[in-house]
Amino acid sequence: GENVEQHPSTLSVQEGDSAVIKCTYSDSASNYFPWYKQELGKGPQLIIDIRSNVGEKKDQRIAVTLNKTAKHFSLHITETQPEDSAVYFCAPLMYSGGGADGLTFGKGTHLIIQP
Amino acid sequence: DAGVIQSPRHEVTEMGQEVTLRCKPISGHDYLFWYRQTMMRGLELLIYFNNNVPIDDSGMPEDRFSAKMPNASFSTLKIQPSEPRDSAVYFCASSLALGLNSPLHFGNGTRLTVT
């Protein structure tokens, strides 16, 4: 099965600074790369995703970059705000027409925004 | 849409008792997933269903765990007998399909404490 690792496990940044979280995976056949955000007392929610044929995707202050050769993808958050404090998970997926392998989540990164 | 609904939000039970967790997926979603979250192991996929049929239950830890989906709008996860090591947050998620444009939608979880 897919081996997924996230770094760092905890990240503390000053409000207004940028944050970067990296996810490495083992299955070179993975072709879908989502990031989820989990706030306290809630389930994870998708915030951004990218397909394997795209290198980068942006959505306002959030971006995801993909390096398929090195088998890692990263979440970038710029101009961080207090509401960005949460746990972030990556979940690379190998999807084919017949189904999916993986559905494995990383261990999560606890992002703390310092005021 | 009300999203994925799980009940109860909290469950405290004694070792040896039967526990039943409930989930109502988003209407129209063909896939339903049960995950378990702990500090040590993160988010683990237990089982998932497609059109009410279990597809992969390789993540179910032991025979004490069982899951059913009697219809498209309801699923249960049962633990019998429960043990202290089953204490965790259990999440249900649903998705339209299993693929590139079908993220998982999570409920807010059931926090289970077995004493």
Side-chain angles (χ1 to χ4, degrees):
Chain A
E2 180 86 270
N3 185 27
V4 180
E5 292 189 2
Q6 275 184 242
H7 295 281
S9 56
T10 304
L11 178 60
S12 181
V13 301
Q14 289 292 124
E15 183 178 347
D17 288 350
S18 296
V20 181
I21 303 170
K22 185 176 179 179
C23 179
T24 60
Y25 59 94
S26 59
D27 189 348
S28 57
S30 294
N31 54 15
Y32 176 57
F33 307 93
W35 282 98
Y36 290 81
K37 175 183 180 182
Q38 184 178 24
E39 297 175 337
L40 199 61
K42 297 185 178 181
Q45 281 191 305
L46 178 78
I47 54 171
I48 196 166
D49 56 11
I50 196 170
R51 301 185 187 192
S52 59
N53 59 347
V54 178
E56 181 177 357
K57 182 178 176 181
K58 285 184 180 179
D59 182 4
Q60 299 181 8
R61 296 185 299 107
I62 293 172
V64 55
T65 57
L66 172 65
N67 185 328
K68 283 217 77 180
T69 303
K71 290 190 283 187
H72 66 74
F73 62 112
S74 297
L75 175 68
H76 304 255
I77 305 175
T78 58
E79 300 171 28
T80 52
Q81 300 171 5
E83 55 265 35
D84 296 329
S85 293
V87 180
Y88 292 82
F89 293 94
C90 63
L93 180 68
M94 196 291 289
Y95 171 74
S96 65
D101 286 330
L103 296 168
T104 301
F105 280 71
K107 288 288 195 296
T109 296
H110 188 189
L111 177 62
I112 302 165
I113 308 301
Q114 303 279 6
Chain B
D1 197 319
V4 175
I5 300 173
Q6 291 186 247
S7 64
R9 283 302 309 271
H10 302 274
E11 177 78 45
V12 181
T13 191
E14 291 184 348
M15 181 174 65
Q17 297 298 306
E18 176 181 304
V19 175
T20 300
L21 311 181
R22 297 172 175 79
C23 175
K24 177 178 166 53
I26 293 173
S27 177
H29 281 193
D30 289 338
Y31 286 81
L32 183 140
F33 308 81
W34 282 102
Y35 279 87
R36 177 171 67 176
Q37 186 175 39
T38 61
M39 287 293 292
M40 292 299 295
R41 301 172 71 91
L43 272 164
E44 300 174 275
L45 176 66
L46 300 178
I47 185 171
Y48 78 92
F49 295 83
N50 177 27
N51 291 324
N52 314 339
V53 176
I55 301 301
D56 184 354
D57 65 354
S58 59
M60 295 286 262
E62 301 170 31
D63 291 344
R64 297 185 298 106
F65 285 69
S66 62
K68 294 182 180 179
M69 193 165 184
N71 57 62
S73 58
F74 184 65
S75 176
T76 59
L77 178 67
K78 185 181 291 186
I79 308 172
Q80 181 185 21
S82 58
E83 296 182 3
R85 59 192 168 123
D86 301 330
S87 297
V89 181
Y90 291 80
F91 286 102
C92 175
S94 69
S95 68
L96 266 173
L98 199 60
L100 300 178
N101 293 318
S102 294
L104 273 60
H105 297 260
F106 284 81
N108 284 330
T110 295
R111 180 174 294 277
L112 173 65
T113 303
V114 184
T115 60

